[in-house]
Amino acid sequence: MPSSGLESLTQVPDLPGLDEEDPFAGAMPKSEIGALQFLEENPLYDGRGVIIAILDSGVDPGAAGMQTTTDGKPKILDLLDCTGSGDVDTSKEVEADGDGRIEFPDGRVLAVNPEWRNPTNRWKVGVKKAFDLFTDTLIKRLKKERRKEWDKQQRECVTKVLADLYAFDSRVGGAGAALTDEQERERAEYETKLKLLKDLADSYDDQGPTLACCVWHDGDTWRAALDSSQLHPPADACPPATGPAAPRSSPSAVPSERGVGGGELASHPGMSSFRLEQQFATLSPADACNYALNVYDEGNVLSIVTDSSPHGTHVAGITAAYHPGDESQNGVAPGAQIVSCKIGDHRVGRESGVGLTRALAAVVQHKCHLINMSYGEPAAVNNKGRFVELANQVVHKHNVVFVSSAGNSGPGLSTVGAPGGTSDCIIGVGAFVSPSLANAGHSLREPLEDGLQYTWSSRGPTTDGDLGVSLSAPGGAIAPVPTWTLERRTLMNGTSMASPCVCGGIALVISAAIKENVEFSPASLRRACETTALPLHTHQPDSKCTYGHGLLQVGAAFGRLQNLAFGPDVRYEVSTSVSGSNTSGRGLYVREPYQWTGTAVEARCTIQPKMHEDVDNQTVRATFEQRLTLHSSAAWLSVPDTLLLTHNGRGFGIRAELAQVPPGSLHYAEVVARSAGADAVLGECFRVPVTLVRPIPVPNTEQAVVFEEMAFMEGHIKRQFIAVPELAGWAEITLAAGHCVTMDAPRSFMLQCVHATAHTRLDDNSMRRFFSLASGEIKSFTFAVVAGTTLEVALGQFWLSLGASVVTCSVCFHSVVTHPAGALVLDGCARATRVDCWAPLRAETLQPVVKVTAVQTKLRPTKATLSPLSAPRDQHPDGRGIHSLVLQYSLKVKEPGMFTPRLVGINRQVYDGEFEAQMYMIFDENKQLLGCGDIYPEATKLPKGDFTIRLLLRHDQADLLVKMKSMPLVVERRLTDAIIFPLSKSIKGALLGNDTFSQVHLPRGGRCPVFVAPLADDKLPKDAYGDAPVTLVGTATWGNTSQQCGGGPCPVSQTVHYIVQPKKPEEPKPSSALDEPDDWSKANMAALSARIGVLKGMKNATSEDWAKIQEAAAQLKKDLFTTSKAKLRVLSAHLTAADHKASRKNRLHDVVTCAQEVIAAIDIDSLTKFFAMKCNEEGAEAAKVKKEMEEHRGFLVSAYKSLCGALLDLEDGPIVQADKDESHEDLLETAFRNLRKWEDPTNTLLGARREARRGCIGSAIQALNKVITDSDTAVPKEVYELRILLLKELSWTHLAEHEQKCLVWKYPNSFSLF
């Protein structure tokens, strides 16, 4: 079949090869875009006077080349964490004591530097997890290094316990000697300690150090300081400092303490917000992580700015690095300054909506000329969304040139990502590899004769017909990376590297324009760059889709910009609509089978001139008129000759002759508009892209197509366009490598199958695989297809895989059509649901699997807080304020598992979404942060208990957020094991539970019903019935793949929603009519319960409160002590009020008294005899007695627990005491012995406290560990506090310190900041 792939790589302009004088020069590409030549001729136009915003993962100010510009100015004007991931809540205000010390939220008391000027002596304090500021790579390295010191201390503890054990054995006569009970207990304690140390080592999870942060106002500005001493090694773990502090490559770097005991708060010099003094520092020598500080909200928020990956520093280095004395390492525009806007959020691992919005605001506030953004995501809609609206304002109102990567999702067509490849206001850049880059950067073993696009670089057009890729540039470089990586430079490749290369080149053009007073706008500069770009592989039909207009050429672009300065400052919005269609696009894209029914396609192109909003209507807009000539770049595309364009816009018709396009081919052409007459010097004004993709039909008999012996070389791509048959569900693609003589080693390939359907994300409509093929080898893949559309199968030999190859490709279509179609809704109340299956294309194996994989709980907000944001970083570029909506949801978890919160219809929308932010956080009852997520929700592991989910939405329209105040949230628990529905061949089989359906062979056109029975009650998840609405969800697959593809379930599935049947009622308990109380008795019982409930809940904070409780209890005893049942309830309520957690420490003797009263009121002998019986009597009266006895036992156990707890609290401390009060000792031990008769307290907090006071510290810690691991609710703080105390008692300091550091995060005072 004919193919439109790259048949050869000829007709490529001369590109720089290997530089014999400096073979490494190509590792930082500049020649390819004409930057070196331009700088040789214009050395002062090296970016000076240009400010570039780097919207990325953050830039390390200490990285090589990031200190100064060529004219000695600071390279980095500002370092901003726009995401908020580095924010610290410093709203708590404290005053320094007489010794100049302040207390932090984690309990540390640290001295401030007496040289810090603080007229008020008021300090704002907060804490931050250091690991929250680091990348996963750095955390992994630090954990490994920190573990060495931890293991050393751990071994010392183990050695000490073993020595004590051996000494004990020697003392008692050897390991096998007979022991007394006391000795047995002592020896068991040693063994427990050894096991405990092993268990603690196995479960050790280094949460990292905690930074203590303080903020103050020195009378002129806000300043901040950090205590990073926990990041520094302890004094006995490192050698003394032998030299000066590590050298800094910037005069603005802040020195920090080195060597022993570094990082103390008082040694910090106190830093202002970075933009004021360009100060930065290093957290510690171990991490080598540089940071800057910014203070917001009147000192209530401190932002610690670090990078979230090396990506941003690398990008900044390509754009503007300056290396004095080594120009070959310089970035493209070494004279430019940068503003680093971190949009990569540590918490979610990608850009965040908040980060993007704040970054655009910062661009305007810093009066930047350029933006480079090497980030992006797939989008369902082109050129729309909240971010695109804001970007349009920044570009067209504030005259900022926006450059961004087109994406790394190729090699298929229509794979460009947002925002770079899909937005009009942004210059999208593809990734090109030149011979010099291949040699110097990638160390290719054989020279690359010609340049080519990286195989993975995204291609256009967009699904609405725009070109997608505007320019191309070298997509790799060996550039600077952060110091924490422990290397100066490294190789990265991607369109992320191509974009800053173009951005740097445009910075040179702007620098020249500023110096020579050439007026320009983003629109004129873009036209200058695109119309002078160096075209690549123009003989190939996919050249424009792959390379855009070509390689940027800096010198030619500046020359063109000088000419454009004499014309009107205008940009052109292009809209096309096909005749008879109600949709429009930014170009004409004819791709789908239904569009090829005629011999031609006619479309209407509308051109709307756009000018800056501040231009005068009367003198500029009203007088605007352009005479244009229209030209077609292909014979099959007919266009008018001329167009007189005015401010209100004009339209014209075009016609594409479809008959001239053979099946299976790609044709691309453009309508080019050029200025005519006196304005001819202005040249090209706009282009309308026209892309024709004609698919080949699939033969009805085979339902398959074969592409024989396709020849490949490195970088070659073959594109096959296939009309997917109606009713097709999935395809199986088989690739067979030929027995090629030159294929002497396996070759690497990229396969991508793409449907370019509107309003659908690329990752929902494509499949991409990277694999290798050896000579004669066969590989198969399966993927879902969209029936009735055009499928592109793009197969490319990876550009690094050298040598020839031959591959035969076959694509076979399959389908099992079901009725009902769409989502399959199964009702648990229906005894059977019929699903009809049909094989319309070919014979299929019908082997259905219907299963439930998750439990979905629907929640409504319990609280909604709408508030305006007043901080400058939260103002739109045009000055409009932003509002935040925080929704709070309550989640009760009955079954532990992995939980994912979802906003249906809002998630997975970044650049094309309506909201400027969507982020959620999950907290336990103690406000400990357990997980967070954003547009791509992630699963968080949750135990049983109560949890709070907080969700942030942001928008500038408060009325829109008001509508979201009651927005439902779906929380999905993934089942560990799927629940499979029983399937039958008949409805009778479904009812009786037999006639099981397993597998049926369906001939072509064959039909077969499948009957799905409901799930049995005992198969349902335990949380299938909840307080909130619950739905079970899963999937249904019907067909199997062929044996060549594994013979497993096909890649197409239906979503299953299961409506759970009503809960089965409990069996009624036998009762007698005589036992039924009358109405008067019921009223008395209700009054009794109400009065007792009031007593139990009475406030007990002061002596006056306690007096009221005593009075109420006395009155209840007087009124209700008529029966033992009422008496016990009153006494128990009295005990509950006395034993209230908030005030019990002042009422311990009262608790003892109340507990003893409860115990004395119970007939313990009768209770013992009742529960000693193996078989109780039956009948209504017996059931009544049993209920009463169980209630009495509950009262008794609670009383003993309160008594033991109070007696323990009356002691001086939890550890065994030398001088015990014998009477107290007897009372306590008696209470414990009695409690053990009814409930085992060993693995409880009480049991642990008892073991500790007996001197069995190891056993006590073991019990506490059990409390923590077995708890179904949030663990009380006192459990961890006791464990810390006991660890210190054993001198296991490293364990105690680790536990102490974690406390502040397990029990914070407030929810974490968004």
Side-chain angles (χ1 to χ4, degrees):
M1 293 293 178
S3 169
S4 59
L6 298 179
E7 302 296 342
S8 68
L9 291 176
T10 57
Q11 301 181 14
V12 178
D14 291 336
L15 292 169
L18 185 65
D19 189 331
E20 295 183 359
E21 294 183 4
D22 183 3
F24 296 100
M28 180 64 89
K30 294 184 278 286
S31 296
E32 293 87 338
I33 62 171
L36 281 183
Q37 301 90 317
F38 183 79
L39 287 173
E40 286 174 1
E41 299 170 5
N42 308 281
L44 298 182
Y45 300 168
D46 59 357
R48 300 180 198 195
V50 179
I51 302 174
I52 305 172
I54 305 293
L55 275 60
D56 214 286
S57 62
V59 178
D60 180 2
M66 289 290 106
Q67 284 69 55
T68 62
T69 65
T70 51
D71 54 351
K73 295 179 180 177
K75 173 61 66 176
I76 304 176
L77 288 174
D78 206 353
L79 280 171
L80 301 167
D81 177 3
C82 299
T83 68
S85 59
D87 285 359
V88 186
D89 183 354
T90 51
S91 58
K92 182 180 180 181
E93 194 172 68
V94 298
E95 190 169 333
D97 62 19
D99 296 324
R101 303 186 306 166
I102 55 177
E103 184 176 357
F104 288 83
D106 63 349
R108 280 185 284 177
V109 178
L110 303 174
V112 299
N113 190 326
E115 296 182 5
W116 293 340
R117 184 160 59 95
N118 183 353
T120 65
N121 195 31
R122 303 296 296 175
W123 309 83
K124 292 176 175 288
V125 295
V127 289
K128 185 73 173 177
K129 270 187 179 179
F131 281 5
D132 285 351
L133 303 171
F134 297 157
T135 66
D136 290 342
T137 303
L138 178 54
I139 292 172
K140 184 177 180 180
R141 172 167 69 82
L142 288 176
K143 282 188 172 183
K144 184 177 180 181
E145 294 172 359
R146 288 162 58 86
R147 185 67 189 243
K148 293 177 183 177
E149 176 60 28
W150 192 90
D151 284 342
K152 175 186 174 184
Q153 298 178 61
Q154 183 77 357
R155 286 192 298 271
E156 291 173 354
C157 293
V158 172
T159 302
K160 175 68 168 58
V161 176
L162 283 172
D164 292 343
L165 177 58
Y166 296 152
F168 171 82
D169 285 342
S170 299
R171 191 170 69 248
V172 299
L179 303 176
T180 65
D181 290 346
E182 186 65 28
Q183 290 171 335
E184 286 277 7
R185 193 174 73 178
E186 186 176 352
R187 194 177 199 287
E189 175 68 6
Y190 289 126
E191 292 175 344
T192 298
K193 289 178 182 177
L194 288 174
K195 183 179 184 304
L196 188 60
L197 284 168
K198 181 182 181 304
D199 292 343
L200 289 171
D202 292 341
S203 62
Y204 174 70
D205 181 19
D206 186 359
Q207 294 296 307
T210 298
L211 304 175
C213 315
C214 74
V215 177
W216 71 97
H217 199 279
D218 67 1
D220 297 319
T221 189
W222 287 102
R223 293 194 173 273
L226 307 182
D227 181 282
S228 59
S229 57
Q230 292 184 7
L231 272 165
H232 292 248
D236 58 353
C238 62
T242 56
R248 310 295 300 165
S249 51
S250 166
S252 299
V254 174
S256 59
E257 292 294 318
R258 295 292 186 265
V260 179
E264 290 88 353
L265 180 69
S267 69
H268 197 283
M271 295 159 57
S272 64
S273 291
F274 184 85
R275 70 183 183 280
L276 301 178
E277 298 171 355
Q278 278 79 47
Q279 296 172 299
F280 69 95
T282 307
L283 283 169
S284 78
D287 53 75
C289 182
N290 295 317
Y291 69 94
L293 300 177
N294 290 306
V295 181
Y296 301 111
D297 192 20
E298 294 299 309
N300 290 324
V301 175
L302 171 66
S303 174
I304 305 175
V305 188
T306 59
D307 57 81
S308 61
S309 83
H311 190 271
T313 301
H314 197 272
V315 165
I318 295 172
T319 310
Y322 173 53
H323 299 270
D326 191 354
E327 293 184 359
S328 65
Q329 291 189 42
N330 283 353
V332 180
Q337 293 179 289
I338 67 172
V339 174
S340 171
C341 301
K342 187 173 99 175
I343 60 172
D345 196 315
H346 283 278
R347 298 167 294 186
V348 296
R350 65 185 71 85
E351 69 268 51
S352 68
V354 172
L356 291 167
T357 304
R358 287 175 174 168
L360 292 181
V363 167
V364 175
Q365 291 164 7
H366 286 79
K367 295 180 169 46
C368 297
H369 301 89
L370 268 163
I371 297 172
N372 183 84
M373 182 172 143
S374 294
Y375 265 63
E377 300 281 342
V381 183
N382 299 300
N383 204 35
K384 293 186 184 300
R386 194 76 192 118
F387 175 82
V388 176
E389 292 174 10
L390 297 176
N392 272 317
Q393 291 178 20
V394 170
V395 173
H396 301 311
K397 180 177 180 179
H398 299 282
N399 293 320
V400 181
V401 180
F402 200 151
V403 184
S404 184
S405 51
N408 304 326
S409 299
L413 300 183
S414 301
T415 54
V416 287
T422 62
S423 309
D424 272 346
C425 63
I426 300 175
I427 299 173
V429 184
F432 177 80
V433 56
S434 65
S436 61
L437 173 59
N439 286 317
H442 292 278
S443 302
L444 206 63
R445 72 172 189 271
E446 295 180 13
L448 188 68
E449 293 184 6
D450 301 301
L452 69 158
Q453 207 79 339
Y454 282 93
T455 312
W456 36 254
S457 185
S458 291
R459 271 74 170 176
T462 62
T463 55
D464 65 343
D466 189 46
L467 185 56
V469 180
S470 174
L471 298 168
S472 286
I478 296 178
V481 287
T483 56
W484 60 259
T485 64
L486 307 185
E487 56 181 344
R488 295 181 71 247
R489 298 187 294 161
T490 196
L491 171 68
M492 293 186 189
N493 57 79
T495 54
S496 287
M497 284 64 246
S499 179
C501 186
V502 166
C503 184
I506 294 176
L508 300 182
V509 176
I510 294 176
S511 182
I514 291 173
K515 295 292 184 183
E516 297 194 11
N517 296 315
V518 176
E519 292 187 1
F520 66 92
S521 68
S524 64
L525 203 153
R526 179 171 185 163
R527 282 171 58 193
C529 293
E530 291 180 344
T531 55
T532 58
L534 185 64
L536 298 168
H537 303 291
T538 55
H539 66 293
Q540 297 298 332
D542 65 350
S543 171
K544 272 296 184 71
C545 301
T546 299
Y547 302 98
H549 297 281
L551 286 176
L552 171 69
Q553 298 299 297
V554 174
F558 179 58
R560 182 87 172 93
L561 186 65
Q562 289 174 305
N563 289 337
L564 291 175
F566 296 101
D569 184 7
V570 63
R571 60 186 172 89
Y572 305 89
E573 284 189 358
V574 176
S575 176
T576 65
S577 58
V578 177
S579 300
S581 171
N582 59 358
T583 59
S584 62
R586 292 173 292 162
L588 180 60
Y589 194 8
V590 179
R591 174 181 172 119
E592 302 307 330
Y594 76 88
Q595 296 174 297
W596 290 90
T597 55
T599 59
V601 170
E602 293 186 355
R604 184 75 178 171
C605 297
T606 302
I607 310 300
Q608 180 63 60
K610 293 288 184 180
M611 303 176 186
H612 194 278
E613 63 180 45
D614 292 338
V615 302
D616 183 72
N617 285 334
Q618 189 170 0
T619 60
V620 180
R621 288 189 173 91
T623 59
F624 173 79
E625 187 174 283
Q626 275 189 313
R627 297 182 178 186
L628 304 174
T629 59
L630 302 180
H631 308 269
S632 168
S633 62
W636 49 264
L637 179 63
S638 301
V639 302
D641 292 330
T642 62
L643 178 71
L644 182 63
L645 184 65
T646 62
H647 171 257
N648 289 327
R650 286 288 305 279
F652 58 90
I654 61 174
R655 177 183 172 94
E657 302 295 339
L658 302 183
Q660 299 182 30
V661 181
S665 65
L666 161 69
H667 282 55
Y668 179 88
E670 292 174 329
V671 180
V672 183
R674 297 191 177 97
S675 297
D679 293 333
V681 68
L682 300 178
E684 181 182 313
C685 294
F686 62 83
R687 296 189 181 203
V688 180
V690 179
T691 309
L692 305 183
V693 172
R694 185 164 196 170
I696 60 171
V698 177
N700 187 50
T701 52
E702 295 86 7
Q703 296 295 338
V705 289
V706 179
F707 306 96
E708 300 280 0
E709 297 187 342
M710 298 182 294
F712 290 90
M713 290 291 291
E714 59 272 9
H716 282 208
I717 298 171
K718 308 291 185 181
R719 305 184 189 280
Q720 314 297 344
F721 303 101
I722 307 167
V724 179
E726 294 291 346
L727 302 177
W730 76 93
E732 297 181 0
I733 185 167
T734 300
L735 302 168
H739 294 277
C740 181
V741 176
T742 58
M743 197 171 174
D744 53 355
R747 303 284 186 259
S748 297
F749 288 87
M750 287 191 78
L751 169 68
Q752 188 169 33
C753 302
V754 182
H755 296 278
T757 51
H759 298 280
T760 308
R761 288 167 54 104
L762 173 66
D763 48 358
D764 291 335
N765 251 358
S766 68
M767 179 273 287
R768 188 168 73 159
R769 297 288 186 271
F770 183 79
F771 58 93
S772 61
L773 277 176
S775 179
E777 187 177 6
I778 298 175
K779 288 196 173 176
S780 299
F781 304 94
T782 66
F783 55 95
V785 296
V786 181
T789 65
T790 293
L791 170 70
E792 178 193 2
V793 177
L795 179 64
Q797 184 169 321
F798 200 64
W799 78 274
L800 276 172
S801 187
L802 305 179
S805 63
V806 175
V807 178
T808 294
C809 170
S810 66
V811 183
C812 182
F813 293 95
H814 295 257
S815 180
V816 173
V817 177
T818 60
H819 178 79
L824 180 60
V825 179
L826 301 175
D827 190 341
C829 294
R831 298 315 302 165
T833 301
R834 174 173 175 154
V835 179
D836 291 303
C837 301
W838 173 38
L841 301 183
R842 61 172 62 247
E844 302 287 1
T845 298
L846 181 63
Q847 190 171 4
V849 177
V850 183
K851 59 187 178 181
V852 165
T853 57
V855 180
Q856 287 187 345
T857 302
K858 282 85 171 180
L859 304 176
R860 287 280 192 178
T862 57
K863 183 180 179 181
T865 305
L866 178 63
S867 56
L869 302 174
S870 57
R873 63 174 177 169
D874 289 318
Q875 301 296 307
H876 272 314
D878 61 358
R880 283 176 295 135
I882 300 174
H883 299 267
S884 77
L885 174 65
V886 177
L887 301 177
Q888 191 161 300
Y889 302 83
S890 296
L891 174 66
K892 189 172 188 63
V893 174
K894 296 180 179 179
E895 279 296 299
M898 302 299 293
F899 289 79
T900 306
R902 300 188 188 279
L903 291 173
V904 181
I906 295 179
N907 286 151
R908 303 179 76 230
Q909 296 179 18
V910 190
Y911 300 101
D912 52 343
E914 179 58 35
F915 295 101
E916 294 167 13
Q918 47 174 298
M919 177 174 280
Y920 69 85
M921 294 182 175
I922 305 177
F923 302 90
D924 66 10
E925 293 177 83
N926 298 318
K927 298 181 181 177
Q928 179 186 4
L929 177 63
L930 302 178
C932 69
D934 62 342
I935 55 168
Y936 299 114
E938 296 181 359
T940 300
K941 186 175 182 179
L942 299 179
K944 292 181 181 179
D946 295 322
F947 300 90
T948 298
I949 302 176
R950 287 166 58 83
L951 170 69
L952 170 70
L953 297 175
R954 292 178 23 140
H955 204 278
D956 63 345
Q957 297 178 20
D959 55 347
L960 176 61
L961 294 176
V962 168
K963 297 177 182 178
M964 301 292 114
K965 280 191 170 184
S966 59
M967 183 172 60
L969 180 72
V970 176
V971 181
E972 185 174 286
R973 179 177 74 87
R974 188 170 67 238
L975 297 179
T976 305
D977 298 307
I979 305 172
I980 309 298
F981 283 86
L983 307 177
S984 295
K985 299 177 183 177
S986 65
I987 190 168
K988 181 179 178 181
L991 291 171
L992 299 179
N994 54 25
D995 200 14
T996 303
F997 196 110
S998 57
Q999 180 176 305
V1000 168
H1001 179 77
L1002 282 181
R1004 181 175 182 176
R1007 298 173 184 268
C1008 178
V1010 179
F1011 295 88
V1012 186
L1015 295 175
D1017 290 341
D1018 60 351
K1019 296 292 185 182
L1020 294 174
K1022 293 181 180 179
D1023 51 350
Y1025 302 100
D1027 300 330
V1030 171
T1031 303
L1032 305 187
V1033 296
T1035 58
T1037 56
W1038 303 99
N1040 268 18
T1041 62
S1042 65
Q1043 290 302 314
Q1044 187 163 340
C1045 291
C1050 70
V1052 181
S1053 63
Q1054 278 182 284
T1055 300
V1056 172
H1057 295 275
Y1058 185 64
I1059 303 172
V1060 181
Q1061 57 267 35
K1063 190 173 184 180
K1064 186 178 179 181
E1066 296 181 1
E1067 291 289 337
K1069 296 180 179 178
S1071 61
S1072 168
L1074 296 175
D1075 297 328
E1076 190 69 26
D1078 56 26
D1079 291 342
W1080 183 256
S1081 298
K1082 288 181 180 178
N1084 284 334
M1085 290 168 62
L1088 168 65
S1089 298
R1091 294 182 67 183
I1092 290 175
V1094 170
L1095 175 61
K1096 290 170 68 175
M1098 288 182 71
K1099 184 180 177 183
N1100 186 10
T1102 64
S1103 299
E1104 290 77 12
D1105 293 336
W1106 177 242
K1108 291 178 182 179
I1109 290 173
Q1110 292 285 62
E1111 182 181 347
Q1115 186 62 46
L1116 272 173
K1117 291 174 184 178
K1118 179 180 177 182
D1119 295 345
L1120 301 175
F1121 268 27
T1122 54
T1123 66
S1124 60
K1125 188 173 182 179
K1127 180 178 181 180
L1128 268 177
R1129 289 183 179 179
V1130 173
L1131 292 175
S1132 179
H1134 193 192
L1135 173 59
T1136 301
D1139 204 16
H1140 192 274
K1141 183 178 180 180
S1143 57
R1144 66 187 302 274
K1145 64 180 180 180
N1146 299 321
R1147 302 276 179 269
L1148 294 176
H1149 290 288
D1150 295 313
V1151 173
V1152 171
T1153 301
C1154 291
Q1156 289 173 333
E1157 286 182 356
V1158 173
I1159 295 167
I1162 296 174
D1163 187 349
I1164 296 178
D1165 290 340
S1166 298
L1167 202 62
T1168 303
K1169 289 176 183 179
F1170 178 83
F1171 285 103
M1173 288 190 294
K1174 291 185 178 180
C1175 185
N1176 293 325
E1177 295 182 13
E1178 297 179 347
E1181 186 62 33
K1184 182 178 178 182
V1185 171
K1186 181 181 179 182
K1187 181 180 179 181
E1188 185 174 323
M1189 287 297 183
E1190 287 176 343
E1191 185 180 38
H1192 286 194
R1193 181 174 62 177
F1195 289 145
L1196 183 63
V1197 170
S1198 295
Y1200 277 132
K1201 287 182 178 179
S1202 294
L1203 178 59
C1204 292
L1207 292 172
L1208 285 168
D1209 286 339
L1210 285 168
E1211 297 183 340
D1212 292 335
I1215 313 303
V1216 62
Q1217 301 172 30
D1219 51 341
K1220 300 177 183 177
D1221 182 335
E1222 293 299 330
S1223 61
H1224 180 90
E1225 177 75 9
D1226 291 344
L1227 183 59
L1228 179 57
E1229 285 303 312
T1230 300
F1232 262 106
R1233 284 195 299 271
N1234 288 329
L1235 174 60
R1236 286 176 62 85
K1237 294 175 183 178
W1238 301 98
E1239 186 173 287
D1240 183 9
T1242 302
N1243 293 321
T1244 65
L1245 179 58
L1246 275 178
R1249 294 177 66 188
R1250 185 198 183 203
E1251 289 299 310
R1253 72 180 301 280
R1254 296 169 68 197
C1256 301
I1257 309 299
S1259 299
I1261 297 175
Q1262 194 173 50
L1264 292 174
N1265 291 346
K1266 194 70 174 171
V1267 171
I1268 293 169
T1269 56
D1270 292 353
S1271 178
D1272 287 341
T1273 59
V1275 179
K1277 187 176 182 180
E1278 59 185 316
V1279 173
Y1280 287 101
E1281 289 175 333
L1282 178 57
R1283 189 161 72 168
I1284 292 169
L1285 189 63
L1286 298 179
L1287 290 170
K1288 289 180 179 178
E1289 182 68 20
L1290 292 176
S1291 297
W1292 295 354
T1293 310
H1294 64 300
L1295 291 166
E1297 288 179 350
H1298 168 70
E1299 195 88 3
Q1300 187 70 51
K1301 291 173 187 175
C1302 293
L1303 268 189
V1304 68
W1305 308 118
K1306 286 188 171 85
Y1307 303 92
N1309 295 322
S1310 59
F1311 292 117
S1312 299
L1313 299 177
F1314 279 106

